[in-house]
Amino acid sequence: MAPHPYFDPAQAASFNEISTKKDSTFELKYFNIHGFGAIARQLLASGGAKFTLPNADNWAEEKPKAPFGVMPLLKETSSDGRVIQIAETDAIERYLAKKFDFYGSGAFEEVLVNTFSSQVNDMNSKLFLQYFITSDPELKAKAKENFVTKLIPEFIKNHEAHLQANGANGHYVGNKTTLPDFKLSQVVSIIQSISGEDLVSEKLTPAIFKVKTEVDKIPGLVAWKQTEEFKALSKANFDRLGYY
């Protein structure tokens, strides 16, 4: 059986070469909400990449061809026309973070980036799967109570402490923005959509809030958030999930 196009060893040499270049163009296929495509889009915008978000209306036809039948899917075209493709949220985010220098320097910092990213991912997944996609009002109310009284406060306590230990400088690792900073910034917005500023705010959690402040002022991201495309994604996200 031939290897799937996404995992074909024949592309290894091109993949390795293209991965270090920043003059490619990108297509990130995902539904027209933020969801699990949000961080990859933010990394592309923050890195100054040229990217498009192909319409996913024909996903039912394309789904059987995807490696795991899910999105997001990233397609990168180099300046000389070569194409590489990456599947799965985590793999896409780590690849883009490395390409655009949001991944730390050396093995130690990379481990820290991976560790904090994994931890924030865990909270994000719990919020999405246990709360936002729950339609039963009673179950949703119970889930909210659990998050507000237990899960979120524990998350905040741990992450505020780790960020304070790094100097409360708005970063998890060193003195620069890395992948978990983007992830935390998104989770802060999600938490505030549930509890307002009762759990996360500049006053209550200064180190956590500082991370969001630093991410929110990245020029490429600022510009991306001002586009009509981003605003449409935010509206669709609010209509479907209840948060921007």
Side-chain angles (χ1 to χ4, degrees), residues 195-206:
S195 60
E197 294 193 342
D198 291 343
L199 297 175
V200 179
S201 68
E202 187 173 10
K203 180 179 180 180
L204 294 174
T205 55

Side-chain angles (χ1 to χ4, degrees), residues 14-219:
S14 285
F15 195 108
N16 292 338
E17 183 182 347
I18 294 170
S19 70
T20 64
K21 299 181 181 299
K22 296 182 174 63
D23 58 352
S24 299
T25 57
F26 300 84
E27 294 179 11
L28 184 73
K29 177 154 287 195
Y30 189 65
F31 302 109
N32 65 333
I33 59 173
H34 292 312
F36 293 115
I39 301 301
R41 291 167 178 156
Q42 290 182 29
L43 290 167
L44 287 166
S46 298
K50 297 178 181 178
F51 68 97
T52 58
L53 307 178
N55 194 304
D57 288 346
N58 61 344
W59 176 239
E61 299 175 14
E62 297 182 19
K63 181 179 174 69
K65 301 176 184 177
F68 305 105
V70 296
M71 297 188 286
L73 298 169
L74 180 70
K75 177 181 177 182
E76 178 177 356
T77 304
S78 67
S79 58
D80 59 7
R82 288 176 292 169
V83 174
I84 59 175
Q85 299 177 99
I86 307 174
E88 288 296 293
T89 306
D90 189 55
I92 291 170
E93 291 173 354
R94 292 189 190 200
Y95 174 79
L96 292 175
K98 280 191 174 184
K99 177 183 280 287
F100 295 112
D101 302 321
F102 296 118
Y103 210 74
S105 303
F108 177 68
E109 287 195 356
E110 286 193 9
V111 167
L112 294 183
V113 166
N114 291 338
T115 301
F116 290 124
S117 293
S118 177
Q119 236 294 304
V120 181
N121 273 348
D122 183 63
M123 174 55 69
N124 190 32
S125 295
K126 286 176 180 176
L127 285 163
F128 185 77
L129 296 173
Q130 297 178 26
Y131 180 76
F132 284 106
I133 66 171
T134 300
S135 57
D136 183 280
E138 185 175 346
L139 292 177
K140 199 175 185 75
K142 288 181 179 179
K144 179 177 180 178
E145 182 180 3
N146 188 42
F147 276 111
V148 170
T149 62
K150 181 180 178 182
L151 298 182
I152 293 175
E154 183 177 355
F155 174 87
I156 289 170
K157 177 183 176 182
N158 289 331
H159 286 261
E160 182 74 11
H162 289 301
L163 289 164
Q164 289 285 354
N166 193 45
N169 63 356
H171 307 296
Y172 274 108
V173 181
N175 295 304
K176 60 176 288 188
T177 299
T178 56
L179 180 57
D181 298 356
F182 287 96
K183 291 178 176 290
L184 183 67
S185 177
Q186 181 190 33
V187 167
V188 168
S189 296
I190 295 172
I191 291 173
Q192 288 186 327
S193 75
I194 296 174
S195 60
E197 294 193 342
D198 291 343
L199 297 175
V200 179
S201 68
E202 187 173 10
K203 180 179 180 180
L204 294 174
T205 55
I208 287 176
F209 203 82
K210 177 69 171 175
V211 173
K212 180 168 174 54
T213 300
E214 289 298 307
V215 170
D216 283 347
K217 68 184 185 183
I218 296 172

